[in-house]
Amino acid sequence: MFKKVMSLALASTLVLSAGAFAASAAEAEDAVAANDESAVAADDSSAVAAGDESQVGAGTKIYFDVKSAGWKNFSKIYCHVWRADGTGKWPSWQTKKELCKKESDDLYSYDITKTGNAEEIQNAGSKNLYCVIFSADTQVQIYNTIMNGNCIGDTVYVTGNKIENPKDSQKTDTEAAWKNHPECGPQKVITSTSKVVGTALADGTTDVTLMADYLLDYVSDEGVADTSKTDKSQDLINQLKISPLAVMSNVNFKLEGFVKEETMTQDVANKKKATIEGILGNCTDPTKGGEKVNKDEIKNAEAKNDAADTSGSSNGGSSNSGSSSNGSSSNGSSSGSNSVQSGQETTIFFVFAGVMVAAAGVFFLVRRREN
């Protein structure tokens, strides 16, 4: 009789212990699920809150004072944004993704998230990496206006000045600027008629690089200069107040880059270089009181980038910022999950130990009774 009672007791102990084990495991799993759910809820909540906040006011919008432009009889306003160096993927001219929202009769807004590059623009900070053009469906537009990340929330307005279109001298564009960011005005370039227009330089460009690009554009691959353009080199150098030697150094730097990237052969680079050396060798230097340049110095000019390489630091900053943000979020969730898992393992261990102790006690009593 005693054996039956003890066997029943043992069976009951094992069943109850197994139940406790299962309940404990289920409780631990619930804790993990609850933690994960709360983490997800927190992430969703923060994401929604951030998203909602970014859509309020100036979070991801730039504005255009259409009243200052004096445009009439239009039905749609568009905003064209692109990276000044021509890289990246951006919406095409006056497509749906460039459509602006009417805030009032005088003000239109554009949400930069439509570009697909909002985070990049925001992370740019004070770097003048972008250009923006507001236009209407009546074929009117403003001139290229430099933009940086700090311009988000600011308003573009028309100054009233006219600027020669850099590519088509038969056209003029309306000059525009930002109300609160004077460093981001009309883009400074040399036009097709050899005029310097605009005031704001995109990051990665200087007056020297503008002149270097001008000469490279108007000297052919055979080393033949378009004299209708290159004969104006001295006037441009004087206007920009730059050193011919600095220009030659930048030309050499660019040519070396083209050859290295295999977008130009060494033979073409040599021909362009020789012609440009001749052009700059006949110039005077406004940075030295109009002194005649030393032709030997021009010929032996060291390849040098006059502009700091801002694109690399911008991309790195954006990437690092993104990685840091993602890493923090990921690590936070992972840390919370591991904490619950550790608790689960501890509970399971003690429950299992309890089962083994109880079973051992029952067997001990059975054996003792038999003896």
Side-chain angles (χ1 to χ4, degrees):
M1 181 66 182
F2 181 77
K3 287 183 178 181
K4 291 182 179 180
V5 171
M6 293 312 295
S7 296
L8 182 61
L10 175 59
S12 298
T13 301
L14 290 171
V15 169
L16 290 172
S17 297
F21 179 89
S24 215
E27 182 180 358
E29 288 177 1
D30 288 342
V32 173
N35 183 76
D36 290 344
E37 188 174 313
S38 63
V40 170
D43 286 346
D44 288 346
S45 174
S46 62
V48 171
D52 288 345
E53 184 178 354
S54 69
Q55 298 303 318
V56 176
T60 56
K61 292 182 178 180
I62 55 176
Y63 300 84
F64 178 55
D65 181 356
V66 71
K67 183 179 180 180
S68 67
W71 295 345
K72 304 293 183 182
N73 304 318
F74 62 86
S75 59
K76 295 177 182 178
I77 296 294
Y78 296 90
C79 181
H80 186 60
V81 180
W82 73 99
R83 195 174 176 115
D85 64 6
T87 60
K89 186 176 181 180
W90 303 84
S92 300
W93 179 260
Q94 291 195 347
T95 52
K96 186 177 181 180
K97 287 186 177 182
E98 295 197 337
L99 193 61
C100 295
K101 178 183 177 182
K102 184 177 181 179
E103 301 286 347
S104 69
D105 288 342
D106 300 336
L107 192 68
Y108 279 74
S109 68
Y110 180 68
D111 192 332
I112 62 169
T113 59
K114 291 182 177 181
T115 67
N117 298 289
E119 184 178 359
E120 175 190 321
I121 297 172
Q122 290 169 322
N123 289 339
S126 61
K127 294 183 176 66
N128 294 348
L129 297 175
Y130 309 94
C131 289
V132 59
I133 292 177
F134 283 96
S135 64
D137 55 357
T138 54
Q139 306 305 311
V140 290
Q141 68 178 68
I142 64 170
Y143 175 70
N144 302 6
T145 306
I146 292 293
M147 180 177 79
N148 61 35
N150 295 334
C151 290
I152 299 173
D154 202 357
T155 301
V156 173
Y157 70 97
V158 170
T159 65
N161 298 326
K162 294 292 184 180
I163 291 182
E164 178 184 313
N165 186 291
K167 301 297 182 183
D168 187 350
S169 62
Q170 302 302 312
K171 297 179 180 179
T172 57
D173 295 329
T174 304
E175 182 186 75
W178 297 89
K179 287 188 175 180
N180 300 304
H181 291 85
E183 78 279 11
C184 294
Q187 185 182 19
K188 190 172 187 179
V189 298
I190 301 176
T191 71
S192 59
T193 58
S194 308
K195 295 177 183 176
V196 177
V197 298
T199 58
L201 286 162
D203 270 32
T205 63
T206 66
D207 289 340
V208 168
T209 67
L210 291 183
M211 189 65 206
D213 286 335
Y214 177 84
L215 290 171
L216 287 167
D217 285 343
Y218 293 113
V219 173
S220 73
D221 289 353
E222 295 301 318
V224 179
D226 179 349
T227 55
S228 67
K229 311 294 185 182
T230 59
D231 283 353
K232 297 177 181 177
S233 295
Q234 183 68 70
D235 291 339
L236 287 169
I237 286 171
N238 290 342
Q239 189 174 344
L240 294 169
K241 296 181 175 63
I242 54 177
S243 163
L245 181 59
V247 175
M248 192 66 233
S249 292
N250 194 243
V251 166
N252 289 338
F253 175 82
K254 289 176 181 291
L255 288 174
E256 285 187 1
F258 296 149
V259 172
K260 185 176 181 180
E261 294 164 4
E262 297 184 349
T263 57
M264 182 182 293
T265 65
Q266 187 63 61
D267 181 58
V268 169
N270 291 340
K271 290 177 180 178
K272 279 180 173 282
K273 178 180 178 180
T275 301
I276 294 173
E277 283 176 356
I279 294 168
L280 293 174
N282 289 316
C283 291
T284 57
D285 190 343
T287 67
K288 295 182 178 180
E291 178 183 311
K292 187 74 174 178
V293 300
N294 185 313
K295 291 187 177 183
D296 287 335
E297 288 184 351
I298 293 290
K299 188 174 182 179
N300 299 309
E302 178 185 0
K304 182 180 178 182
N305 185 13
D306 188 74
D309 184 4
T310 57
S311 59
S313 60
S314 171
N315 292 338
S318 173
S319 176
N320 292 339
S321 174
S323 297
S324 174
S325 174
N326 293 336
S328 299
S329 174
S330 174
N331 291 340
S333 300
S334 176
S335 174
S337 177
N338 287 340
S339 175
V340 175
Q341 288 173 1
S342 296
Q344 177 185 352
E345 290 165 359
T346 303
T347 302
I348 290 172
F349 172 77
F350 283 115
V351 170
F352 182 72
V355 171
M356 295 303 294
V357 170
V362 172
F363 278 116
F364 175 76
L365 290 173
V366 171
R367 294 289 296 173
R368 185 176 181 182
R369 180 63 178 171
E370 287 177 344
N371 294 332

